[in-house]
Amino acid sequence: GIQVEQSPPDLILQEGANSTLRCNFSDSVNNLQWFHQNPWGQLINLFYIPSGTKQNGRLSATTVATERYSLLYISSSQTTDSGVYFCAVGGGADGLTFGKGTHLIIQP
Amino acid sequence: KAGVTQTPRYLIKTRGQQVTLSCSPISGHRSVSWYQQTPGQGLQFLFEYFSETQRNKGNFPGRFSGRQFSNSRSEMNVSTLELGDSALYLCASSLMGAEKLFFGSGTQLSVL
């Protein structure tokens, strides 16, 4: 099956810093999504981005499908950005394949 | 519009028992999928339902089963519980299956 690798696995930043999270995948995909899991376990969908670039406030994402990677940018980090960020590919009847996530801690 | 609703939020069971978890998708969404999250294995796909039909199943034993009703609500069942079944079980819904996925808050199952 398809492999999804996320980096870095852990990231500790000060409030106000910017960060870039990376997701590499082993095969072509037509469905890529980024999620944020908060400390209470809730998975929030940040982006559905099989290709191209999207922005939502302080967050933006870029997927280069031909090179099999996606990037999630977080600018001006806030403590509420802490949590685990997951990249997932595939979907539909085959379900999403998730990476192991990037654990982000934003310190005040 | 209400989000994906999962019940119960927490469950404690003993080995050998069975358990049923419930999921109500976002209104209008016809695809419901289930995932298991554990610290060791991460998030893994269990199965996906669309219009009351299971379209695919992940690599899980037959003790894990599910169904979807005509109103798109879904249930999953785990029989003969094992300690290793302790996990956060997440339900997600989407319009047809291949679009943006919306997750519920999950059911935390502890098997003692």
Side-chain angles (χ1 to χ4, degrees):
Chain A
I2 193 167
Q3 305 297 314
V4 181
E5 292 186 4
Q6 291 187 243
S7 60
D10 300 283
L11 189 57
I12 301 174
L13 299 171
Q14 293 297 121
E15 204 167 19
N18 301 328
S19 58
T20 300
L21 282 56
R22 187 177 179 101
C23 171
N24 293 330
F25 42 95
S26 61
D27 205 347
S28 59
V29 298
N30 54 16
N31 184 341
L32 186 145
Q33 304 186 40
W34 283 96
F35 296 89
H36 173 220
Q37 189 167 41
N38 64 25
W40 298 271
Q42 175 77 50
L43 269 171
I44 306 296
N45 194 305
L46 300 175
F47 293 103
Y48 171 80
I49 186 167
S51 64
T53 297
K54 290 186 177 180
Q55 179 153 9
N56 184 4
R58 297 182 295 103
L59 274 60
S60 64
T62 294
T63 297
V64 184
T66 53
E67 297 187 22
R68 299 179 186 171
Y69 74 89
S70 183
L71 302 173
L72 177 68
Y73 306 95
I74 305 174
S75 64
S76 304
S77 297
Q78 301 174 0
T79 55
T80 51
D81 294 331
S82 296
V84 184
Y85 289 80
F86 290 102
C87 167
V89 302
D94 293 332
L96 286 172
T97 299
F98 282 78
K100 294 188 182 301
T102 292
H103 187 197
L104 177 63
I105 296 174
I106 305 298
Q107 296 178 333
Chain B
K1 197 182 256 191
V4 180
T5 304
Q6 288 189 248
T7 56
R9 185 71 178 94
Y10 300 95
L11 262 179
I12 299 176
K13 294 286 187 179
T14 56
R15 279 180 298 174
Q17 287 186 311
Q18 74 166 18
V19 66
T20 299
L21 313 181
S22 180
C23 172
S24 293
I26 291 172
S27 178
H29 285 193
R30 296 170 63 187
S31 170
V32 173
S33 50
W34 289 87
Y35 292 80
Q36 181 197 64
Q37 185 175 25
T38 59
Q41 298 300 315
L43 279 149
Q44 293 185 287
F45 170 69
L46 277 159
F47 27 64
E48 191 261 0
Y49 287 88
F50 180 82
S51 291
E52 302 179 65
T53 300
Q54 185 184 94
R55 295 198 291 190
N56 209 345
K57 184 174 181 179
N59 189 23
F60 281 83
R63 299 184 297 106
F64 291 81
S65 63
R67 60 178 175 168
Q68 187 181 33
F69 301 95
S70 58
N71 61 358
S72 293
R73 191 177 70 84
S74 177
E75 290 181 347
M76 68 163 282
N77 184 276
V78 188
S79 62
T80 319
L81 284 165
E82 300 177 0
L83 295 178
D85 297 333
S86 295
L88 179 65
Y89 290 88
L90 291 158
C91 168
S93 77
S94 66
L95 280 169
M96 303 292 284
E99 321 82 3
K100 194 170 184 176
L101 218 57
F102 297 88
F103 280 85
S105 299
T107 294
Q108 184 67 55
L109 172 65
S110 298
V111 182
L112 306 178

